[in-house]
Amino acid sequence: MENQTFIIEEELKKLPAKPGVYLMHDEQDKIIYVGKAISLKNRVRQYFQDSRNKGVKIEQMVTHIRRFEYIVTDSELEALVLECNLIKEHRPKYNTMLMDDKSYPFIKVTVGEDFPRVMLARKQVKDKARYFGPYTSAGAVKDTIELLRKLYHIRDCRRNLPRDTGKERPCLNYHIGQCAAPCQGYISREEYQKSVEEVIRFLSGKFEPVLKELEEKMQKASEELEFEKAIEYRELLNSVRHIAQKQKITSTGGDDRDILAIATDREDAVVQVFFIRGGRLIGRDHFYLRIVEGEEEGAILDSFIKQFYAGTPYIPAELMLPTEVEDAEVLEEWLGRRRGHRVRIRVPKKGEKEKLVELAKKNAELVLSRDRERLKREEGRTIGAVKEIASLLGLDHLERMEAYDISNTSGFASVGSMIVYEKGKPKRNDYRKFRIKGVQGADDYASLEEVLTRRFRHGLEEQKSGKELGSFQVFPDLILMDGGKGQVNVALKVLDRLHLDIPVCGMVKDDSHRTRGLYYHNREIAIDRNSEGFRLITRIQDEAHRFAIEFHRQLRSKGQVHSVLDDIPGVGPARRKALMKAFQSLEDIKNASPEELRQIPSMNEKSAKDVYRFFHEGALPGETAVQTINKE
């Protein structure tokens, strides 16, 4: 539905009284808010009723709404799931957004095997293994696994036992005393299983037996004057005590629960989470959120729970919060389905649990206070710098910027780079590398034209196909060219040919090869060298150059430099090398006669004619020869 024909008052009348998800669009048709409702008719109408107290966030958002759309679902639970997915995909401006994307490891014991292993797992799957965690530190998990192998001599190989018993020699772990070598039959299955049971007890928090055993072994070794062994047992004892100290008992109950608390400061919020498993605190972590000033803590926690637990691999039996959340019942149902068992959301008012929530809140406040200045500086370097650039160029909207650069060596190999910055930060997953195949010699303008044509044609094809969003389908709000008028005009020529309207700006350097200013709309714009905008432009320019040079160096080091000579039939590595040695540049090869080419070692009459025809009879590789886009 087009914005011009969308009359909000008329469309409000058409809303169904059914559960679903609604999406609000601004004047640029960008999704700025995603919400869910039990009744779309009642919920969406509330935004446009003057009599309601909507709060600062909603009042601000409504002024930007130009149209809305909705998706009807069968239940409020389905609406919640769809809302989570759409928020994650579109990251709307007025939704509370979780800024961290963290994952937590598990310790996996493969109890379904005859001779189980202990390993780190990035996610929990439905198999026959036992999982412990999740833990907040991968380093701590690795240290724990290493300690368990030292204590209980559990194997870490992938051999299929007992099928492969005796087929290979024992590994290094056996020789250093960290594996009992079940692969050689040196330990029975029954004895090995006893060690595995000890591992499971240890991971369940029962440290006392192993502490007592190590203490006794240390004393015995000391009495028998085996001091090296005594030192080894002492170190193991200290390691176990260190892990036991981290997993302090925090509750008389043995349930798994997460304790959540929040601290806010204008547009910043921190949610602190304590992870309690089996009544023990196994870790804690904090998460930054971007909020709208004045937003209520309950609404922020509601958004956090939806985003965090949609991605975390483990759902505890209980969440403890400092305040009520609006969607508590439907959240419990959704979390319960993800967990496979009932999940409760509670707000403790007294006792030990209330103290734990208060402790989490104090931690959140400390984190926010400690990082407030750092967050402000970071915002100035990123979002603030982007705003400076947008103001300087007179752009209403600027979020995604793409910069391009070319690198070559004497025209024999050219590569192009495309780097992407979003909200002032590099988005490295969207970086792209290009091998130039359709350009002769060191022609940077022609190489840029090829790169830009391939990039935006590819994007248009993705958009036309209607497939899932691809990396090229997202177009930038601003194109930054490494250079001035010439490079900018190349980009504008490509965009005009493809009927695209995207601002193009040149990053101009001085005689010392330092960033001097911006070239935009046929004039050079000076930038304050002390501004964050200037520093961001410099970083982008340096990054584009670095990325191109790095790719070129990578190809050279691997012997993969490609030139148009590789596309000539009959010219292999030996003849290509001979041609490059005999001539100074690709242009010289092009201008050579068949007789001159014939004089080159390893060239015969046929190959000399093939080279000459390639350059003089229209056999140069064109668009069909440059379809490969090399990804980082």
Side-chain angles (χ1 to χ4, degrees), residues 8 12 41 98 141 152 164 268 279 315-316 360 364 435 471 477-478 484 502 551 584 596 610:
I8 289 179
L12 288 172
K41 182 177 182 178
L98 179 61
V141 168
Y152 302 111
D164 296 335
D268 295 314
I315 310 293
R435 295 194 193 188
S471 59
D477 302 310
L478 177 66
I502 302 172
F551 180 40
Q584 295 298 313
E596 290 174 316
D610 285 340

Side-chain angles (χ1 to χ4, degrees), residues 381 421 424 532 535-544:
R381 292 181 71 251
Y421 270 60
E532 291 294 349
R535 295 188 182 100
L536 177 58
I537 290 292
T538 302
R539 289 197 298 274
I540 292 173
Q541 195 168 29
D542 291 343
E543 178 73 351

Side-chain angles (χ1 to χ4, degrees), residues 179-210:
C179 179
C183 62
Q184 303 301 310
Y186 294 168
I187 183 172
S188 69
R189 182 182 175 187
E190 291 73 22
E191 285 298 315
Y192 191 90
Q193 286 293 342
K194 288 180 182 178
S195 296
V196 173
E197 289 169 7
E198 290 295 327
V199 167
I200 291 172
R201 275 195 285 271
F202 183 97
L203 292 172
S204 300
K206 297 178 174 64
F207 304 111
E208 290 78 12
V210 69

Side-chain angles (χ1 to χ4, degrees), residues 355-417:
K355 290 179 181 177
L356 286 171
V357 173
E358 184 60 32
L359 180 62
K361 183 173 180 62
K362 287 180 180 177
N363 275 265
E365 290 171 346
L366 283 171
V367 170
L368 187 59
S369 174
R370 180 193 68 199
D371 290 351
R372 184 180 289 115
E373 290 305 315
R374 182 187 63 80
L375 287 170
K376 286 181 180 178
R377 288 196 303 271
E378 179 65 20
E379 182 175 335
R381 292 181 71 251
T382 55
I383 297 172
V386 172
K387 288 179 179 178
E388 283 183 24
I389 296 168
S391 176
L392 201 64
L393 302 178
L395 300 177
D396 294 328
H397 176 77
L398 180 57
E399 183 172 309
R400 181 184 174 101
M401 295 182 283
E402 291 181 3
Y404 297 84
D405 195 13
I406 300 295
S407 177
N408 62 68
T409 303
S410 301
F412 282 106
S414 291
V415 298
S417 70

Side-chain angles (χ1 to χ4, degrees), residues 9-10 158 223 540:
E9 291 75 13
E10 293 298 321
R158 296 184 179 181
E223 291 168 2
I540 292 173

